[in-house]
Amino acid sequence: MVGYILRRLLLLVPVLLGLSMLVFAIARLLPGDPVALAAGPNATAADVASVAREFGLDQPLVVQYWNYLTGLFRGDWGVSIFTRRPVAEDLAAYLPATLELVLAAMLLAIGLGIPLGLMAAVFRNKWPDFLARTVSLGAISMPRFFLGLVFQLLFAMWLGWLPLSGRFPLTEDPPPQITGMLTVDALLSGQFHAFGVALSYLALPAIAMCLSPLATIMRMMRASTIEVLQQDYVLTERALGLSQKLILFKYVLKNAISATLTVIGLYFGWLLGGTVLVETVFDWPGIGLYATQAVLTQDFMPIIGVTLCIGAIFVTVNLVVDMLYGLLNPKVRYQ
Amino acid sequence: MNPPSLDTDTLLEIDDLNLAMRSFEGEIQVLNGVSFAVKRGEIWGIVGETGSGKSLTGLTVSRLVPTPPGRYLRGSVRFQGQDVLKQSEETMRTLRGRRIGMIFQDPTTNLNPTFRIGTQLVDVALHAAKLDPTILGLPAGASRRARRAAAEKVAIARLEEVGIPNAAERVNDYPHQFSGGMKQRVLIAMALIGRPDLLIADEPTTALDVSVQAQILRLIHGLVEEHNLGVLFITHNLGVVAQLCTHVAVMYAGAIVESGPVRDVLKHPRHDYTRGLLASVPKPSMKRGELRGLAGGALAAEALAPPPPRAAPGGTIMAIEHVVKEFPGARRGFFDRAPPVQALRDVSLNIRQGESFGLVGESGSGKTTLTRCILQLEKITSGRIVYDGIDLAAQTPQQMQALRARIQIVFQDPYASLNPRMTIRDIIAEPMEIHHGKLGLTPRQRTDRAAELLEQVGLTTQHLNRFPHEFSGGQRQRIGIARALAPKPDFLILDEPTSALDVSVQAQVLNLLHDLQSRLGLTYFFISHDLGVIRYICDRVALIHHGKLVEQGETEDVFTNPRSDYAKMLLAAMPDPDPDLSPLRRREAVLL
Amino acid sequence: MSSTTAHPRLESWRRGLYRFRQSWVSVLGLLIVSVLLVLAIGGQHLAPYPQHIAGLVDTSARLQAPSTTYWFGTNELGQDVFSLVVAGTRISLLAGMAVVIVGAAFGVFVGAIAGFLGGWVDEVLMRLADLKLTVPGLILAMAVAAALGPGIVNMVFAIALSWWPGYARLVRGEVMAKREETFVLASRAMGAGTNRLLWKHILPNIMSPIIVKMSLDMGFAILTVASLGFIGIGVKPPTPEWGSLLSVARVNMPDYWWTAIFPGLAIFMAVFGFNLLGDGLRDLLDPKARR
């Protein structure tokens, strides 16, 4: 098992290298001239050239990539042409907000999706199942940005129960910075009032974001549970008198979850990418909003930074998922 | 059939059981008045072919047939006096695992792959102990932990009893760490851990090799005698019944056509179906062409025109010389690999023109690898495969292409070997299209030839535009044979062509193969694990074990006078439908 | 087991159709998709105010609530929201379809080659697909679309770029599984070449999962198109596109909610319709995956 983890960690290196190369190539090879854009509409050719020199954009692409790559290891993720701020600093500031949002959504999705899926499988082809399937398909079909708007309209504007947008009010004292995730920091430092405030801001975007993965996890869990229920060993367990409860919650659950796990890994990456939309709706100061700004201004250093960052998180999460999969499946573990 | 009795030894009494199943086509009655009774110490063999209702009968005893789609129309299933069809699910659970133990066909899928076998055994033991605390040997009020510890001890004891070496350590292993035979032993231990009175075994040895099957049968036999169990042994194999069972019930189309003590039924069958079934099993005394199949539940008429006598075998057509095939070992880490696996070790044999050459081996022996090497689907590591004087490995792809028309193959699984999206016409015409150069037929002529071939294998031209899923297993195998014959081959590899078929259908296909060989002068390379079939159809035979040929010679010589230990063991393990000839009983006879 | 009645093939179709009709949600999906198709084809003629679609501004009728004259109300330019939503159908459907077809075609090609040839070709192609999967599709599409500039073709290209790996992986897995099937082996033993094996034996047998995935993906492609429109990349106003309509209408909330709600509902209905249909199709074409 240790050897397996080491090998997987080693394999991360070429993946991340390839990812950086790919993103760099896409950002730089496509048409569009960020230099001219940054220099301003009235810039002369000389102005443009000086901006290009300032950011090293006059050098051959290979050299640019090499400089970027070596910079990454020194913690230098390049500088935004537009704001002239270091990308690494921006990422450090925005990433915790996004992670908080994504983790909250994922927790909700897993925590509700797995039991609901199990239930739908047990009630297969009866009304709770039909209801769950149709509603879940609806949830998958609901655009997150639209759902966010409807939530805002309902719960913030009309009912006034929850704040409209943002992450934390300026009028209140934020909890001390530990992880950068406000709810977690508030809990860690025991500031329960601040936790309540942070949670009220987190609630709407997290719910808007979790519905689609929740529905997918539920459907996946339902499908794999049904498949497991049809396995021969379940018949044997029944034939030897084990109770329905023991079979379902011990013997079936472990087998069914392992199939669902892979979906959870994939969905994590999907959520990270999709946070763009929800962050736009709720003005959530995360890397999604940051990336949108960068894209609209064709500011490619932040784009590369965000993509690399998300890619790295995605591969790491999937590594963790694979290990959990190995823990659940003795056959994989012993290979 | 048996009048209801108050005999205390009677464990199970099934009386006029009728079961219907609902499906898209409507409700179909799948059990038609099944009646029989099992006493302690009796082993009842329920024998029948696919769809005869034998498995459903077994499931009904534990009431595991789901309702719906199932529906009980009439009858009763009395287990020690109480009708299980009238019990609540809760009461049924007190019977399952405690009073009634069950084992099923495929040991690899019947153990939960993600749990240690110890965990699974302990849970069954704890369930049974709830109803009968003496199983764990503990007083009723024992603590949870004490019960668990005791259950584990019982599990280990049971595993030892069914012949798992090192049981105390192996309880911590996962199912995939056991071989097929060992898994079935674990499942038997699990079924017996609650000390049941009745054991239901549904084809427990069908997925196993003959030698392993013999061990499992011996194990069940011993356990029954020791614990005075009643057993319901469901199987399609008459040989197994003859070997193990005290009584037998023959099922056909959801009804028992004949039942009674095993010697009476198998030695003096009264019903046509039983007689037909017995006549379709190849026996040592039979000459080729004497086998008779079944049609519509009765003995089929004899072939109208017997084929012409076969020509005497000619010279060597296929020479396999010192063939070695290695597969690279499993990857270990980045650069490291396990040592290569030798699938074939120095295999040499000669096949003569016009003969049937048999190759016998158990799973993993290398017999399938050898066929793939002959077909050049795998490259051999060393040695030569010479066909009609041509070294196959030395041919260019174009030359090999032309040779492929002469060497054809029929596969084991008739359901998987035909493309489900192609019509029968297209399937049979495909080799003619590929070998257009040799045969030179127009599309029209190909259709005509496909029709001709279909008739040759006993189907009709009407079948040309149908799709494979519309045919039964036996019909599909005929289509597979027609396809193999299409490019006019002279060498036919038959890779377990009848193993997936019911015995009556097997008889028909064997007869067809015999007929075709006589008429077309084909050479057969017949691969099988079934010694009876090999003895019936092959002139010469070779035995392969762990990639090595252990014995070869004239079939009769090898069967009557085996020299290698492996051949002796295989022959001893082969169940024979004659109760007096079966190994277990032979051993009994010796002991007496 | 297998019936040999008069027209068994027809029979199996009827059986599938019966199952499809059994689940009323699939029929609902088919209904929604049919309505969408009608609107996409004849939208210009069916919309009550075709002049608003062309960009006509009517300041006298600004931000009117839904009524019998303006079913979905009017927007800040006095345009009929219903007409704009109807007109948006064509763009969404067209773009969605283009994305799925381009992505599927490329993905099937790559997956078939990788799965059939195996070895290093497979390694290279699949590592490339994996790499693509680690980049979030939406961000990649955003970057590419922004760099290429606005326009429907650029947007389709940008989305399709992140769409093919899903098909490549699906097809590769299916091809590898089918390659080992006995009927393919049988054909190889007969001497069939790569072309015949791939086109006659393997691909026809893996069409069902591809079609099912395409119909399910239609919904998500429409969703992605709308997302890009919402962010402000992709189709730009005055071309009526659901996502950008919604984006523009955000500032009208909460008083003039209808300007946002109806385009949003349109996106939801379109995606929902295709998902229901895809789910039904899966039951129909892929009985193994019946869930």
Side-chain angles (χ1 to χ4, degrees):
Chain A
M1 192 70 185
V2 177
Y4 174 74
I5 296 173
L6 279 179
R7 205 170 79 220
R8 287 294 306 265
L9 280 174
L10 257 171
L11 274 174
L12 279 186
V13 176
V15 170
L16 289 177
L17 210 65
L19 183 64
S20 69
M21 220 183 291
L22 184 79
V23 177
F24 198 86
I26 289 175
R28 295 297 286 116
L29 289 180
L30 287 172
D33 191 354
V35 183
L37 215 64
N42 303 319
T44 60
D47 290 340
V48 173
S50 90
V51 171
R53 209 170 313 116
E54 184 189 340
F55 291 98
L57 298 178
D58 52 346
Q59 286 166 315
L61 208 57
V62 183
V63 178
Q64 283 184 41
Y65 175 65
W66 179 249
N67 287 340
Y68 180 73
L69 199 65
T70 49
L72 282 181
F73 289 101
R74 295 193 307 266
D76 172 14
W77 289 49
V79 174
S80 157
I81 296 185
F82 229 69
T83 62
R84 314 240 165 174
R85 281 166 49 85
V87 173
E89 268 177 39
D90 284 347
L91 281 179
Y94 296 130
L95 188 61
T98 298
L99 278 183
E100 184 178 27
L101 186 55
V102 170
L103 284 175
M106 216 58 208
L107 272 176
L108 276 176
I110 297 172
L112 292 174
I114 286 181
L116 282 176
L118 205 61
M119 208 182 72
V122 173
F123 289 101
R124 187 186 184 196
N125 290 342
K126 302 207 175 75
W127 69 265
D129 180 33
F130 280 122
L131 189 74
R133 278 167 75 188
T134 314
V135 169
S136 69
L137 212 55
I140 291 174
S141 312
M142 183 61 93
R144 275 162 292 172
F145 50 91
F146 177 55
L147 192 67
L149 281 178
V150 174
F151 278 179
Q152 282 184 329
L153 197 64
L154 270 176
F155 298 107
M157 295 173 179
W158 287 348
L159 296 169
W161 291 352
L162 290 165
L164 180 67
S165 62
R167 194 173 172 218
F168 204 81
L170 289 169
T171 50
E172 303 245 3
D173 285 331
Q177 175 123 8
I178 304 169
T179 58
M181 296 186 239
L182 293 180
T183 44
V184 179
D185 289 350
L187 274 184
L188 286 178
S189 53
Q191 297 182 5
F192 295 106
H193 173 70
F195 173 73
V197 174
L199 197 64
S200 71
Y201 277 83
L202 181 61
L204 285 186
I207 295 173
M209 197 138 154
C210 84
L211 272 194
S212 177
L214 193 165
T216 310
I217 289 172
M218 191 220 95
R219 292 168 68 83
M220 191 68 207
M221 190 64 199
R222 173 181 179 274
S224 53
T225 305
I226 286 174
E227 201 180 313
V228 173
L229 282 174
Q230 289 164 343
Q231 296 296 312
D232 287 346
Y233 52 78
V234 176
L235 181 63
T236 299
E237 282 155 9
R238 279 204 325 127
L240 294 180
L242 298 188
S243 74
Q244 202 69 15
K245 223 167 61 192
L246 186 72
I247 293 175
L248 192 66
F249 291 113
K250 181 173 180 179
Y251 287 107
V252 171
L253 188 65
K254 191 175 174 189
N255 285 287
I257 275 191
S258 67
T260 313
L261 254 179
T262 40
V263 179
I264 292 176
L266 283 179
Y267 244 92
F268 204 85
W270 186 84
L271 272 185
L272 277 171
T275 141
V276 170
L277 298 163
V278 175
E279 288 182 8
T280 307
V281 172
F282 288 95
D283 274 327
W284 189 266
I287 53 172
L289 213 55
Y290 180 59
T292 317
Q293 282 311 313
V295 164
L296 289 174
T297 53
Q298 299 196 1
D299 191 355
F300 66 90
M301 276 304 175
I303 300 180
I304 300 175
V306 168
T307 320
L308 256 183
C309 192
I310 291 180
I313 296 173
F314 177 78
V315 247
T316 319
V317 167
N318 274 288
L319 178 65
V320 173
V321 164
D322 281 358
M323 278 181 223
L324 283 177
Y325 192 80
L327 276 182
L328 288 176
N329 289 281
K331 227 173 176 167
V332 179
R333 197 186 329 155
Y334 281 84
Q335 258 171 11
Chain B
M1 236 162 252
N2 297 321
S5 65
L6 292 168
D7 197 335
T8 46
D9 270 357
T10 303
L11 280 173
L12 175 70
E13 247 180 308
I14 300 182
D15 188 34
D16 191 29
L17 180 64
N18 284 268
L19 173 69
M21 280 285 192
R22 207 174 52 218
S23 76
F24 176 77
E25 285 92 358
E27 212 173 59
I28 300 165
Q29 195 164 343
V30 285
L31 293 180
N32 289 307
V34 172
S35 306
F36 63 96
V38 181
K39 289 185 186 141
R40 275 188 188 279
E42 286 181 349
I43 307 179
W44 271 77
I46 311 290
V47 66
E49 297 187 295
T50 313
S52 60
K54 56 189 193 300
S55 287
L56 282 173
T57 306
L59 287 174
T60 299
V61 176
S62 299
R63 225 190 51 208
L64 286 168
V65 178
T67 46
R71 192 164 69 89
Y72 292 104
L73 305 170
R74 238 193 357 264
S76 64
V77 178
R78 252 180 257 285
F79 179 75
Q80 293 186 329
Q82 49 182 336
D83 188 352
V84 301
L85 299 185
K86 296 201 174 83
Q87 304 304 315
S88 70
E89 184 65 20
E90 265 319 293
T91 320
M92 281 316 295
R93 281 224 304 115
T94 64
L95 296 180
R96 294 179 197 146
R98 167 66 192 94
R99 314 292 297 278
I100 305 173
M102 285 188 94
I103 0 170
F104 296 95
Q105 175 169 352
D106 189 351
T108 51
T109 58
N110 276 297
L111 281 167
N112 196 320
T114 57
F115 288 86
R116 300 172 199 278
I117 61 155
T119 314
Q120 305 184 41
L121 282 159
V122 164
D123 274 336
V124 178
L126 286 176
H127 158 70
K130 249 182 264 165
L131 311 157
D132 180 6
T134 61
I135 288 174
L136 301 182
L138 288 175
S143 73
R144 226 188 137 115
R145 184 183 295 171
R147 273 187 291 148
R148 250 185 198 283
E152 189 157 329
K153 242 185 236 146
V154 173
I156 293 168
R158 278 288 146 155
L159 286 177
E160 273 166 358
E161 192 184 351
V162 298
I164 305 265
N166 251 340
E169 284 165 32
R170 300 224 70 185
V171 281
N172 291 320
D173 282 348
Y174 287 92
H176 74 269
Q177 291 166 290
F178 292 82
S179 69
M182 283 296 163
K183 275 184 220 164
Q184 197 60 293
R185 284 171 193 264
V186 172
L187 281 159
I188 291 173
M190 221 158 117
L192 294 184
I193 204 165
R195 293 206 217 125
D197 307 301
L198 179 71
L199 178 69
I200 301 173
D202 190 350
E203 305 252 17
T205 59
T206 307
L208 305 173
D209 279 328
V210 190
S211 52
V212 185
Q213 166 172 293
Q215 295 163 13
I216 297 289
L217 292 180
R218 209 167 296 139
L219 173 68
I220 294 177
H221 190 253
L223 290 168
V224 169
E225 295 206 327
E226 195 181 331
H227 299 287
N228 197 27
L229 300 171
V231 178
L232 213 57
F233 195 99
I234 296 154
T235 181
H236 68 281
N237 190 328
L238 285 165
V240 170
V241 170
Q243 176 161 0
L244 182 71
C245 299
T246 58
H247 293 72
V248 60
V250 181
M251 287 192 77
Y252 176 70
I256 292 181
V257 295
E258 184 165 1
S259 68
V262 72
R263 272 201 176 74
D264 291 359
V265 174
L266 294 188
K267 286 271 198 188
H268 312 288
R270 279 164 315 187
H271 196 279
D272 271 355
Y273 179 73
T274 318
R275 246 176 266 153
L277 210 56
L278 281 164
S280 358
V281 183
K283 277 175 265 312
S285 54
M286 282 179 173
K287 293 241 158 13
R288 273 182 62 156
E290 282 183 358
L291 210 54
R292 284 168 71 189
L294 279 158
L299 208 56
E302 275 185 69
L304 287 177
R310 273 199 299 156
T316 299
I317 184 152
M318 175 72 79
I320 291 162
E321 299 169 358
H322 305 290
V323 165
V324 175
K325 172 68 192 170
E326 284 181 355
F327 288 105
R331 222 185 259 264
R332 288 195 298 211
F334 272 122
F335 306 104
D336 197 18
R337 267 182 186 282
V341 181
Q342 285 210 322
L344 294 173
R345 314 179 197 188
D346 194 19
V347 171
S348 297
L349 46 87
N350 288 316
I351 301 169
R352 290 172 304 186
Q353 170 101 47
E355 76 172 340
S356 294
F357 191 97
L359 184 67
V360 181
E362 297 183 295
S363 54
S365 59
K367 51 192 201 304
T368 302
T369 308
L370 184 58
T371 63
R372 286 181 164 227
C373 288
I374 292 174
L375 290 165
Q376 300 291 306
L377 297 175
E378 299 273 5
K379 267 198 159 40
I380 53 175
T381 310
S382 68
R384 291 198 327 152
I385 296 178
V386 181
Y387 176 74
D388 205 5
I390 307 161
D391 182 356
L392 293 184
Q395 299 301 296
T396 63
Q398 285 79 16
Q399 288 169 319
M400 189 58 217
Q401 177 76 4
L403 278 169
R404 284 188 193 282
R406 301 180 58 190
I407 308 173
Q408 286 292 312
I409 180 166
V410 176
F411 290 95
Q412 169 175 3
D413 186 352
Y415 291 90
S417 58
L418 306 177
N419 186 341
R421 304 259 159 180
M422 281 165 76
T423 62
I424 304 309
R425 186 257 164 211
D426 288 346
I427 287 172
I428 299 177
E430 185 175 21
M432 298 186 244
E433 281 169 31
I434 295 171
H435 297 289
H436 184 67
K438 173 189 172 184
L439 303 162
L441 299 174
T442 63
R444 188 61 198 263
Q445 286 169 316
R446 282 181 213 141
T447 309
D448 291 346
R449 170 123 175 88
E452 189 185 307
L453 284 163
L454 269 187
E455 272 166 17
Q456 213 163 19
V457 297
L459 297 169
T460 66
T461 15
Q462 291 169 1
H463 294 129
L464 273 179
N465 291 319
R466 301 244 174 112
F467 286 87
H469 72 265
E470 299 165 38
F471 295 89
S472 68
Q475 287 175 316
R476 288 188 209 203
Q477 203 56 299
R478 288 168 190 268
I479 295 164
I481 293 169
R483 169 176 63 184
L485 294 178
K488 301 197 171 158
D490 25 45
F491 189 87
L492 211 54
I493 300 174
L494 302 157
D495 187 358
E496 305 248 12
T498 61
S499 316
L501 306 175
D502 275 328
V503 29
S504 62
V505 182
Q506 163 174 295
Q508 296 164 9
V509 171
L510 287 178
N511 283 346
L512 172 68
L513 287 172
H514 165 65
D515 185 281
L516 288 171
Q517 186 171 38
S518 308
R519 288 183 205 279
L520 303 175
L522 297 164
T523 307
Y524 285 167
F525 185 41
F526 197 108
I527 292 147
S528 182
H529 67 275
D530 187 329
L531 293 164
V533 169
I534 289 279
R535 187 173 192 176
Y536 174 72
I537 201 135
C538 294
D539 306 301
R540 292 194 305 146
V541 66
L543 267 62
I544 188 167
H545 185 51
H546 291 325
K548 237 184 157 86
L549 285 193
V550 288
E551 181 151 352
Q552 61 174 312
E554 297 289 325
T555 307
E556 276 316 303
D557 281 355
V558 173
F559 275 77
T560 51
N561 189 17
R563 272 156 295 152
S564 64
D565 291 342
Y566 181 69
K568 283 177 194 157
M569 188 276 291
L570 263 193
L571 283 169
M574 185 176 90
D576 192 289
D578 185 342
D580 295 331
L581 292 178
S582 261
L584 254 182
R585 296 189 199 274
R586 266 195 311 233
R587 201 181 52 131
E588 269 169 31
V590 171
L591 287 177
L592 284 171
Chain C
M1 212 174 275
S2 51
S3 58
T4 3
T5 42
H7 297 287
R9 189 144 176 87
L10 212 72
E11 182 74 9
S12 78
W13 263 104
R14 268 218 305 275
R15 197 177 299 197
L17 216 64
Y18 167 83
R19 266 212 315 263
F20 188 80
R21 277 208 311 262
Q22 277 292 72
S23 84
W24 57 271
V25 282
S26 317
V27 179
L28 182 69
L30 188 66
L31 211 73
I32 297 175
V33 170
S34 315
V35 170
L36 287 174
L37 283 176
V38 169
L39 289 183
I41 294 164
Q44 250 83 356
H45 308 287
L46 294 170
Y49 300 92
Q51 66 274 27
H52 290 172
I53 299 169
L56 185 91
V57 175
D58 181 4
T59 41
S60 63
R62 287 182 63 215
L63 293 169
Q64 291 192 7
S67 62
T68 42
T69 354
Y70 301 110
W71 291 357
F72 290 178
T74 62
N75 66 5
E76 64 287 343
L77 300 174
Q79 294 166 327
D80 175 36
V81 176
F82 180 67
S83 298
L84 295 180
V85 168
V86 166
T89 315
R90 175 179 290 191
I91 292 159
S92 286
L93 247 57
L94 227 96
M97 226 176 273
V99 165
V100 170
I101 289 171
V102 172
F106 190 63
V108 169
F109 180 72
V110 170
I113 288 183
F116 193 80
L117 296 181
W120 67 267
V121 180
D122 177 37
E123 279 291 317
V124 169
L125 287 175
M126 280 305 115
R127 288 298 80 76
L128 207 67
D130 283 350
L131 219 54
K132 267 278 187 315
L133 283 175
T134 60
V135 188
L138 194 62
I139 291 193
L140 182 74
M142 272 166 58
V144 175
L148 291 177
I152 193 166
V153 177
N154 288 348
M155 187 183 60
V156 165
F157 175 76
I159 302 176
L161 206 63
S162 62
W163 220 268
W164 64 268
Y167 287 92
R169 280 168 72 117
L170 171 79
V171 170
R172 170 181 176 269
E174 292 279 335
V175 167
M176 284 177 71
K178 284 284 179 294
R179 198 178 57 173
E180 299 304 318
E181 290 260 358
T182 318
F183 67 82
V184 177
L185 199 68
S187 196
R188 269 178 70 200
M190 277 176 234
T194 305
N195 264 333
R196 173 181 285 271
L197 292 179
L198 208 52
W199 290 105
K200 279 208 105 146
H201 292 288
I202 296 178
L203 283 179
N205 279 294
I206 64 170
M207 276 323 281
S208 297
I210 297 175
I211 290 173
V212 169
K213 185 172 165 58
M214 281 175 81
S215 87
L216 284 172
D217 269 3
M218 257 311 277
F220 291 110
I222 291 173
L223 198 61
T224 311
V225 169
S227 301
L228 286 187
F230 181 76
I231 295 172
I233 308 162
V235 185
K236 289 255 159 75
T239 314
E241 193 277 333
W242 292 337
S244 57
L245 286 178
L246 187 62
S247 162
V248 170
R250 272 182 73 197
V251 293
N252 300 333
M253 302 267 265
D255 298 334
Y256 314 113
W257 52 268
W258 55 87
T259 51
I261 291 297
F262 290 110
L265 277 181
I267 304 171
F268 168 70
M269 285 309 277
V271 181
F272 194 40
F274 277 105
N275 277 340
L276 287 176
L277 183 69
D279 222 37
L281 273 183
R282 174 161 55 201
D283 285 359
L284 190 75
L285 292 175
D286 205 359
K288 254 203 318 242
R290 270 196 90 187
R291 291 166 174 179

